[in-house]
Coordinates of all heavy atoms in Angstrom, one line a residue:
C21 N 101.8 73.8 86.0 CA 102.5 73.8 84.7 C 103.4 72.6 84.4 O 102.8 71.5 84.3 CB 103.3 75.2 84.7 SG 103.9 75.5 82.9
D22 N 104.7 72.8 84.6 CA 105.5 71.5 84.2 C 106.4 71.2 85.4 O 107.4 70.5 85.2 CB 106.5 71.8 83.0 CG 107.4 73.0 83.2 OD1 107.0 73.9 84.1 OD2 108.4 73.0 82.5
E23 N 106.0 71.5 86.6 CA 106.7 71.0 87.9 C 105.7 70.3 88.7 O 104.6 70.7 89.0 CB 107.3 72.1 88.7 CG 108.7 72.4 88.4 CD 109.0 73.4 87.5 OE1 108.0 74.3 87.4 OE2 110.0 73.5 86.9
H122 N 97.5 80.0 92.2 CA 99.0 79.8 92.0 C 99.7 81.1 92.2 O 100.8 81.3 92.7 CB 99.3 79.2 90.7 CG 100.6 79.0 90.3 ND1 101.3 77.9 90.7 CD2 101.4 79.8 89.6 CE1 102.6 78.0 90.3 NE2 102.7 79.1 89.6
H126 N 102.7 82.4 94.8 CA 103.9 83.2 94.6 C 104.0 84.4 95.5 O 105.0 84.7 96.1 CB 104.1 83.6 93.2 CG 104.5 82.5 92.2 ND1 105.8 82.0 92.4 CD2 104.0 81.9 91.2 CE1 106.1 81.0 91.5 NE2 105.0 81.0 90.7
V149 N 107.7 87.6 87.7 CA 108.4 87.4 86.3 C 108.7 85.9 86.0 O 109.8 85.4 86.4 CB 109.7 88.3 86.1 CG1 109.3 89.6 85.8 CG2 110.5 88.3 87.4
S150 N 107.8 85.2 85.3 CA 108.1 83.8 85.1 C 107.9 83.5 83.6 O 107.7 84.4 82.8 CB 107.1 82.9 85.9 OG 105.8 83.1 85.5
G151 N 107.7 82.2 83.2 CA 107.5 81.8 81.9 C 106.1 82.2 81.5 O 105.8 82.5 80.3
G152 N 105.2 82.2 82.4 CA 103.8 82.4 82.1 C 103.2 83.8 82.5 O 102.1 84.2 82.2
H153 N 103.9 84.4 83.4 CA 103.4 85.7 84.1 C 104.4 86.7 84.2 O 105.5 86.6 84.3 CB 102.8 85.3 85.4 CG 101.9 84.2 85.5 ND1 100.5 84.4 85.1 CD2 102.0 82.9 85.7 CE1 99.9 83.3 85.2 NE2 100.8 82.4 85.6
A176 N 108.1 87.7 80.6 CA 109.5 87.9 80.5 C 110.3 86.6 80.3 O 111.2 86.5 79.4 CB 110.1 88.6 81.8
G177 N 109.8 85.5 81.0 CA 110.5 84.2 80.7 C 110.1 83.7 79.3 O 111.1 83.1 78.7
E178 N 109.0 84.0 78.8 CA 108.7 83.5 77.5 C 109.7 84.2 76.4 O 110.1 83.6 75.5 CB 107.3 84.1 77.3 CG 106.4 83.2 76.2 CD 105.0 83.9 76.1 OE1 104.7 84.6 77.1 OE2 104.3 83.5 75.2
F180 N 112.7 85.2 77.0 CA 114.0 84.6 77.2 C 114.0 83.2 76.4 O 114.9 82.9 75.7 CB 114.3 84.2 78.7 CG 115.2 85.3 79.3 CD1 114.5 86.3 80.1 CD2 116.6 85.3 79.2 CE1 115.3 87.3 80.6 CE2 117.3 86.2 79.8 CZ 116.7 87.3 80.5
D181 N 112.9 82.5 76.5 CA 112.7 81.2 75.9 C 112.8 81.3 74.3 O 113.4 80.6 73.6 CB 111.4 80.5 76.3 CG 111.5 80.1 77.9 OD1 112.6 80.0 78.4 OD2 110.5 79.8 78.4
P192 N 114.4 75.1 78.7 CA 114.1 76.6 78.7 C 115.3 77.5 78.4 O 116.3 77.2 79.0 CB 113.4 76.7 80.0 CG 114.1 75.8 80.9 CD 114.4 74.6 80.1
G193 N 115.0 78.5 77.7 CA 116.0 79.4 77.2 C 116.7 80.2 78.3 O 117.9 80.5 78.2
G194 N 116.0 80.6 79.4 CA 116.5 81.5 80.4 C 117.8 81.2 80.9 O 118.8 81.9 80.8
P195 N 118.0 80.0 81.6 CA 119.2 79.7 82.2 C 120.4 79.5 81.2 O 121.6 80.1 81.4 CB 119.0 78.3 82.9 CG 117.5 78.2 82.9 CD 116.9 79.0 81.9
E198 N 121.5 83.0 80.1 CA 122.2 83.7 81.0 C 123.7 83.2 81.0 O 124.6 84.0 81.1 CB 121.7 83.6 82.4 CG 122.5 84.3 83.5 CD 121.9 84.2 84.9 OE1 121.0 83.3 85.3 OE2 122.3 85.1 85.7
Q257 N 119.7 90.4 77.3 CA 119.6 90.2 78.7 C 119.6 91.6 79.4 O 118.8 92.0 80.3 CB 120.7 89.4 79.2 CG 120.5 89.1 80.8 CD 121.5 88.2 81.3 OE1 121.3 87.0 81.4 NE2 122.9 88.6 81.5
G289 N 109.3 84.2 90.5 CA 109.2 83.5 89.3 C 110.5 83.1 88.8 O 111.6 83.6 89.2
G290 N 110.6 82.3 87.8 CA 111.9 81.7 87.4 C 112.9 82.8 86.9 O 114.1 82.6 87.1
V291 N 112.4 83.9 86.3 CA 113.4 85.0 85.8 C 114.1 85.6 86.9 O 115.2 86.2 86.7 CB 112.6 85.9 84.9 CG1 113.4 87.1 84.4 CG2 111.9 85.2 83.7
A292 N 113.5 85.5 88.1 CA 114.1 86.3 89.2 C 115.4 85.5 89.6 O 116.2 86.0 90.5 CB 113.2 86.2 90.5
A293 N 115.7 84.3 89.0 CA 116.9 83.6 89.3 C 118.1 84.3 88.5 O 119.2 84.0 88.8 CB 116.8 82.1 88.8
N294 N 117.8 85.1 87.6 CA 118.8 85.8 86.7 C 119.6 86.9 87.6 O 119.1 87.8 88.0 CB 118.1 86.4 85.5 CG 119.2 87.0 84.5 OD1 119.8 87.9 84.7 ND2 119.3 86.3 83.4
A295 N 121.0 86.7 87.5 CA 121.8 87.5 88.4 C 121.8 88.9 87.9 O 121.8 89.9 88.7 CB 123.2 87.0 88.4
I297 N 119.5 90.6 86.3 CA 118.1 91.1 86.5 C 118.0 91.4 88.2 O 117.5 92.5 88.6 CB 117.0 90.2 86.2 CG1 117.0 90.3 84.6 CG2 115.7 90.6 86.8 CD1 116.1 89.2 83.9
C320 N 111.4 80.7 94.3 CA 111.0 81.6 93.2 C 110.3 80.9 92.1 O 109.3 81.2 91.6 CB 112.1 82.4 92.6 SG 112.8 83.7 93.5
T321 N 110.8 79.6 91.8 CA 110.3 78.9 90.7 C 109.1 78.1 91.3 O 108.9 78.0 92.5 CB 111.2 77.9 90.1 OG1 111.8 77.2 91.1 CG2 112.4 78.7 89.4
D322 N 108.4 77.3 90.5 CA 107.1 76.7 91.0 C 107.5 75.5 92.0 O 108.4 74.8 91.7 CB 106.4 76.0 89.8 CG 105.8 77.1 89.0 OD1 105.6 78.3 89.5 OD2 105.1 76.8 88.0
Ligands
LIG401 O1 108.6 80.2 87.5 P1 109.0 79.2 86.5 O2 109.8 78.2 86.9 O3 107.8 78.6 85.8 C1 106.7 79.4 85.3 O4 106.7 79.8 84.1 O5 105.6 79.3 86.0 O6 109.7 80.1 85.3 C2 110.2 79.5 84.2 C3 110.7 80.6 83.3 C4 111.2 80.1 82.0 O7 110.7 81.0 81.0 C5 112.8 80.2 82.1 O8 113.4 80.4 80.8 C6 112.9 81.4 82.9 O9 111.9 81.3 83.9 N1 114.2 81.4 83.6 C7 115.1 82.3 83.5 C8 116.3 81.9 84.3 N2 115.9 80.7 84.9 C9 114.7 80.4 84.5 N3 115.1 83.5 82.8 C10 116.2 84.3 82.8 N4 117.3 83.9 83.6 C11 117.3 82.8 84.3 N5 118.4 82.4 84.9

Side-chain angles (χ1 to χ4, degrees):
C21 191
D22 61 336
E23 262 93 25
H122 177 87
H126 277 299
V149 276
S150 70
H153 304 282
E178 207 176 344
F180 268 94
D181 293 340
E198 182 177 21
Q257 180 175 265
V291 180
N294 185 290
I297 290 170
C320 284
T321 53
D322 288 350

